[in-house]
Amino acid sequence: MKKFLSLVLALVMTMSLVTVSAGAKDFSDDGSITYKEAVDVISGIGVVDGYSGGDFKPTEVLTRGAAAKIICNLILGPTTASYLSADTAPFKDVPVTNVFAGYITYCSQQGIINGYADGTFRPTATLSGNAFMKMLLGALGYDSAIEGYTGANWTVAVIKQAAGIGLDDGNDEFVGSKAVTREEAALYAFNMLQATMVEYDAKTSVDINGATVTIAGDKAKEVAQGSYDNNMHKPNLQFAERYFDKLDKTETTDDFARPATKWTFKGDKIGTYADAADVTYTSNVKLGDIYSDLDMSEKDKNAEVYYNGVEADDVAVSKGNTVKVSSSSANNKLVADGSTVEVFYDEDNNDVTICIIDTYVGTISSKEEKVSDPYVVVNSESLVTEKDASTSVSISGSKARFETNTDNFEEDDVVLFTYSQSADEIKSVVKAESVEGTLDKYTLGKNLTLADTEYKYSKNIAFSFGSETSMTTKSDYVIYLDTNGMVIYVDEQEFDASQYAYVLYTQSSNSRFGKDQVQLVMSDGSVKTVDTDDDYTSLEGTIVYYRADDKGEYALRQAANVHKNGSIVTTEDDRTYPISTNGVLRNGATDFDMKNTRAAITTKTGTTVYGNSETVFVVAESNARGKTDYSVYKGIKNAPTIMSDDPTTSPAVETKAVEMVYTTSGSSDVVTFAFIDATGAYVTNGKRDVVFLAAESATKMITDGDNNQYYLYNAVVDDEITTVKVKAAQDAGSVVLAGNDTVNQVVTNADYNNKGLLTSADDISTSDYTTLKGTGVWKLSGSYSIGLNGTTASASVRYTVASDAKMYYIDTDGVITKIDDVKNISSDSTATYIGLLDVTDGDIAYLFIQEVDNGKQEGAGSSGVVLSGISASYSSGTVTVTLTGTNAGQVYPVTISLVNGGTLVKLTTANVTGAATTTTATISAALSAGSTYMVTCGDQSFVLGV
């Protein structure tokens, strides 16, 4: 009797029925194979195999041609069957060149398969379950004519016979008219291996009125065992015993003490597979209910109980017994919601065996692929105990390894696993299903409600943040479910740094303004005062996640793992503690040390944390007027150096305490988000956004409807290709030349007004980057090498390009294209470049390559025209220009522009005919004393003061 009490039994079986599979093939889609034992055995003996990509494709339908191959592999063995061929086409649509021609010919000659009335076989057509069963019955010896497998009602006779001998066992939803899938074919072939062969009495052919009629016994009889080994351990001769005499089936128990079958082929283990339980439960159950569900008529007063494969306390399975499998008197605390309780009943001996199997949760900490038996390493998040329910078991070292197809897992995947205490090893690992949502409520130790759905707790539930009591409603979580749909792991929903904010000030509805509000410093450096759904005064001075509803009302939740480097408070901005000298925070550490040349950050004496390329820093600096600027940096290498002590003095002088409030990733010391008040401290410019302006893309000056005047450029802002509006009249101190359409510009620390116009920027800081400019770009050998400058590759200077370098091509129209790999850069002797060399490691961090029209030649070894320099002087209405690196007879356009408040105003352009090597020419131009001009030719420019 098989009475399954849970719809999720299929999932439970997928996790735990296969307990040993050392010899079985690992397919990349193992997790989607329903009939695992059948597929393992059939593929293990070579009858059906997977695909070259490593998958089995269990649900792909079987073709008629492929079915013929399976039958031949079964009868002849894979090796012999592979040599089958056809001298003539067996059917008119099966030429001798068809890959299945030999198989189809053999099966047709043996009377196992038939074609259609029109003379076709249709090898690529799908095969119904009925048709495949007919083939298998033929291979077992059943005669189609005698058994009635012909005529209009052949399917009735086939299904009756196939079901009668168990060919469809394992598929309770068999529908013969449907196309058979690959895994269904494996199941039916697997059942056929264990089916008994048949034969008939001797056949006699007689001639009646010119027609040949075969007369034979009218009843199939089982073939006797004869001299064949009884490897299937059943009466008479089974198919496998005749055709696969090296395949052996042994009844045993698995590592969870369940009745099981062990399969070996040619002495190699294929696997051990647990029998299907007679009844299965997913929580503690009364022993009287087991008695009833098994339809027992006699009690078993000493039913054996096993916990994760180790024998526990016997129990009495008897009528009306209200004691449960796990009770204070026996097996205390071994069964709870989420436990799998499988019960096996030997009716002949009235023996009941109860196997308790716990499911645990873990994460994949690593995986090893480059070994003969690839494996994953599981870090258990659940507490694993022995059968006393209190002694913990350490799942570590080799015990944490599970051999499997590692393609199915990634590091940090949350997984469900089973563990056999008797074998002291993990027996199964599958990825856990997850649900995300907002926590509505939870009942300690029992359940939680997420996104309006209630979920029970599984027995071995774990929380990534340590304690269930740390959960807060209205916050977002990811829950992972066991195979019964119960919660087995709760994790905080991942937030990237853009979803953090620092709470600067708060007020409650009890304040004079009568409303709940907070002032947030957002991760982009902006400051927002927002209405909130609750009183969050307790969150002032900390880091939060936030969520805004459609009305703009914010809900806050304190971020996990928030730390401070002192008894930090918000500055009152009064006479005692003015913001102008203290900044927005005070009471930090006077030994703060953060350098962008290293990952380590000393937040205070004895505390060191680490920044990486993903860490987001929001740095506050207040000026003498009490105005605070917030700057944002991503990555420790891009952040400023901030120190409490000024290192430029000797000895170093303490400047001011630095306050740092920050979050770390889990239990690690890696900072994810940091809010730093560096007012008054020693601060050097961090590597803020690098802005590239493509000169060739510059528009004429644009005046919009609000009378804003600007030039539009194609640009790169940090790593994003975009457009930038450059204000025509730049702020004082800006190095940007608005309107410049001849020379590409690379700047940093760009500021924008409220209209989105770039108003000022600085030169690239030499403490961050060394700026490289020149002509000639060369592809060199090596994955991260490039040659710059020079007319040939051998004459160029070799540089190493950072693995995360930001590289771009700019065409002659100023269109920017990203270069994803150094290998995609072509040698070009005339291309000009601007490179930024990171001073911390000497690698190229940014590279902008400008293509040119004039004489451009591509390909290593080319040597086109190169202009290497320009200079100019002015006297009495004449500009004298000297060009270096010219070719005789070539025309060079020289432009003279006025530099006016950061804007270039073009005055004149003259064409100069070149001489060999160096050319000097005069250009008439009336220049004003006290003004600054720019003289440009190609990629070369000269600033001329008059």
Side-chain angles (χ1 to χ4, degrees), residues 688-841:
R688 296 182 62 189
D689 55 316
V690 170
V691 178
F692 171 84
L693 303 175
E696 298 286 354
S697 68
T699 63
K700 299 295 183 183
M701 189 171 69
I702 298 170
T703 302
D704 64 18
D706 295 325
N707 289 319
N708 297 303
Q709 293 183 319
Y710 60 88
Y711 299 88
L712 187 65
Y713 284 85
N714 290 339
V716 176
V717 178
D718 201 14
D719 194 25
E720 180 182 1
I721 297 174
T722 183
T723 58
V724 170
K725 296 176 181 179
V726 177
K727 186 180 179 183
Q730 289 285 290
D731 292 348
S734 175
V735 300
V736 175
L737 299 175
N740 170 23
D741 61 358
T742 56
V743 179
N744 293 330
Q745 302 178 70
V746 179
V747 295
T748 191
N749 294 343
D751 288 326
Y752 300 84
N753 63 17
N754 59 3
K755 304 296 183 182
L757 307 184
L758 189 153
T759 58
S760 69
D762 299 330
D763 282 322
I764 299 296
S765 171
T766 56
S767 64
D768 296 329
Y769 300 106
T770 299
T771 301
L772 308 173
K773 292 184 179 181
T775 303
V777 178
W778 302 96
K779 176 182 287 188
L780 303 179
S781 61
S783 301
Y784 296 102
S785 295
I786 194 167
L788 298 178
N789 217 357
T791 57
T792 63
S794 59
S796 67
V797 179
R798 178 186 288 266
Y799 292 94
T800 300
V801 179
S803 59
D804 59 350
K806 303 169 178 63
M807 302 176 290
Y808 305 88
Y809 268 125
I810 302 93
D811 69 13
T812 54
D813 294 319
V815 176
I816 304 171
T817 305
K818 188 171 184 178
I819 304 170
D820 292 321
D821 195 299
V822 177
K823 294 182 290 186
N824 298 329
I825 296 177
S826 300
S827 294
D828 188 343
S829 64
T830 64
T832 63
Y833 63 84
I834 301 175
L836 300 184
L837 197 69
D838 194 324
V839 297
T840 59
D841 56 22

Side-chain angles (χ1 to χ4, degrees), residues 238-360:
Q238 282 70 55
F239 186 90
E241 293 170 343
R242 177 171 179 179
Y243 293 105
F244 292 90
D245 59 342
K246 301 300 182 183
L247 178 66
D248 190 70
K249 173 185 177 182
T250 305
E251 299 305 317
T252 184
T253 56
D254 71 357
D255 288 333
F256 291 109
R258 297 173 297 187
T261 301
K262 176 183 175 182
W263 289 95
T264 59
F265 183 56
K266 297 181 179 179
D268 293 329
K269 185 186 296 183
I270 294 175
T272 300
Y273 305 84
D275 294 350
D278 291 292
V279 288
T280 298
Y281 307 90
T282 58
S283 60
N284 209 357
V285 58
K286 294 177 182 178
L287 297 170
D289 290 343
I290 294 177
Y291 182 93
S292 298
D293 292 334
L294 291 175
D295 288 334
M296 296 175 67
S297 57
E298 181 182 352
K299 71 177 180 180
D300 182 354
K301 63 180 181 180
N302 295 116
E304 294 180 340
V305 177
Y306 294 86
Y307 177 69
N308 286 339
V310 175
E311 188 168 5
D313 301 325
D314 289 355
V315 293
V317 177
S318 57
K319 184 176 182 179
N321 191 346
T322 59
V323 176
K324 293 185 176 183
V325 171
S326 174
S327 67
S328 58
S329 59
N331 308 310
N332 191 26
K333 299 182 180 179
L334 292 188
V335 183
D337 288 342
S339 299
T340 298
V341 180
E342 296 185 2
V343 182
F344 301 86
Y345 183 39
D346 179 352
E347 292 186 67
D348 294 336
N349 298 301
N350 195 47
D351 282 339
V352 176
T353 301
I354 301 172
C355 298
I356 305 166
I357 303 172
D358 265 352
T359 297
Y360 304 98

